[in-house]
């Protein structure tokens, strides 16, 4: 007898523009997808990205970031209440505490605009150009207590051309991010 397994539920944390969220919504809306986005949380009630969740009628919360602990406690309650299997950070600009990661107890993924372990943290494109790098890219990785240091799930590279500047590089890398994040989620969830 085939046991019916429901869809895997993912939640997404964002902080601003939400272009990665938009591409994930588009991808997982597909018919027959075994993954659904059930919850979107922003640490900024004014985040533009929340509009994408609203338009697609996905439960969404813009929480005021009064303190790390209040944001994390409220988010944890929502994650548990919605029985989320995986949390995906997509342009989420806060660092989650060890306590949050432990209490959530389910895996967390993040997308980062560099080929990790190179350029952890912010201003990745600026640093790549300053160092005359010829290649950069994007990485989807597990989140642990150390910044941008968890196990790598998927990476894709892109060439840095002489004519590139921070803006053009950001555009190129963002395109790759939109491509690899859904694939990485599917790959990761198929193994757990
Ligand atoms: C992306 O480059 C992401 O990798 C980084 O912040 C940016 C967010 O973009 N952490 P968006 O909000 O998904 O458009």
């Amino acid at each position: 007898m085939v046991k019916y397994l429901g869809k895997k539920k993912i939640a997404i944390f964002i902080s601003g523009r939400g272009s990665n969220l938009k591409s994930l919504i588009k991808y997982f809306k597909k018919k027959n997808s075994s993954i659904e986005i059930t919850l979107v949380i922003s640490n900024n009630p004014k985040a533009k990205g929340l509009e994408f969740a609203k338009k697609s009628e996905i439960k969404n919360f813009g929480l005021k970031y009064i303190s790390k602990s209040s944001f994390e406690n409220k988010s944890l309650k929502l994650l548990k209440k919605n029985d989320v299997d995986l949390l995906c950070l997509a342009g989420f600009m806060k660092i989650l505490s060890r306590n949050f990661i432990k209490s959530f107890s389910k895996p967390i993924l993040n997308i980062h605009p560099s080929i990790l372990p190179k350029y952890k943290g912010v201003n990745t494109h600026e640093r790549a150009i300053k160092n005359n790098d010829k290649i950069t890219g994007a990485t989807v990785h597990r989140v642990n207590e150390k910044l941008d240091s968890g196990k790598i799930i998927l990476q894709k590279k892109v060439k840095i051309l002489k004519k590139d500047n921070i803006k053009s590089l950001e555009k190129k890398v963002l395109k790759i991010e939109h491509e690899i994040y859904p694939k990485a989620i599917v790959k990761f969830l198929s193994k757990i």
Side-chain angles (χ1 to χ4, degrees), residues 7-11 28 33-39 189:
K7 289 191 182 203
K8 294 266 188 204
K9 294 177 183 173
I10 65 174
F28 292 117
S33 170
S34 58
I35 297 165
E36 67 174 341
I37 302 171
T38 48
L39 178 66
L189 282 176

Side-chain angles (χ1 to χ4, degrees), residues 10-167:
I10 65 174
I12 315 227
F13 278 12
I14 61 165
S15 293
R17 177 179 56 187
S19 70
N20 275 288
L21 169 66
K22 187 181 175 198
S23 92
L24 291 172
I25 291 175
K26 191 174 167 209
Y27 190 92
F28 292 117
K29 243 189 190 171
K30 279 194 282 187
K31 247 199 199 167
N32 303 326
S33 170
S34 58
I35 297 165
E36 67 174 341
I37 302 171
T38 48
L39 178 66
V40 173
I41 299 178
S42 170
N43 61 299
N44 168 15
K46 290 189 180 144
K48 244 188 112 198
L50 284 171
E51 292 306 318
F52 301 124
K54 282 177 195 152
K55 258 191 217 150
S56 295
E57 294 177 349
I58 298 169
K59 240 180 258 175
N60 62 88
F61 296 85
L63 304 178
K64 254 195 195 162
Y65 200 85
I66 297 159
S67 70
K68 190 187 279 292
S69 61
S70 77
F71 172 81
E72 290 188 347
N73 288 337
K74 278 183 202 156
S75 302
L76 264 179
K77 278 191 190 137
L78 289 166
L79 291 167
K80 295 204 166 153
K81 195 174 160 199
N82 287 279
D83 201 19
V84 166
D85 299 299
L86 174 73
L87 169 59
C88 298
L89 311 183
F92 179 67
M93 303 311 281
K94 299 284 179 191
I95 296 172
L96 295 169
S97 71
R98 176 197 297 245
N99 190 40
F100 175 92
I101 296 169
K102 221 175 127 198
S103 309
F104 177 48
S105 78
K106 303 278 174 68
I108 307 174
L109 300 183
N110 180 41
I111 180 115
H112 184 75
S114 79
I115 293 293
L116 288 172
K118 228 176 177 185
Y119 308 133
K120 296 173 182 174
V122 293
N123 303 327
T124 55
H125 307 313
E126 192 181 331
R127 287 189 277 162
I129 287 175
K130 253 191 200 151
N131 286 339
N132 271 319
D133 288 356
K134 300 281 173 278
I135 279 174
T136 187
T139 305
V140 177
H141 64 93
R142 290 272 312 249
V143 171
N144 60 19
E145 304 96 79
K146 285 192 195 151
L147 181 69
D148 300 327
S149 298
K151 187 175 178 255
I152 290 167
I153 309 298
L154 202 60
Q155 290 187 310
K156 189 165 176 179
K157 293 176 180 165
V158 68
K159 278 187 188 152
I160 305 179
L161 305 176
K162 278 215 175 92
K163 61 175 184 191
D164 271 323
N165 52 40
I166 297 174
K167 231 179 158 187

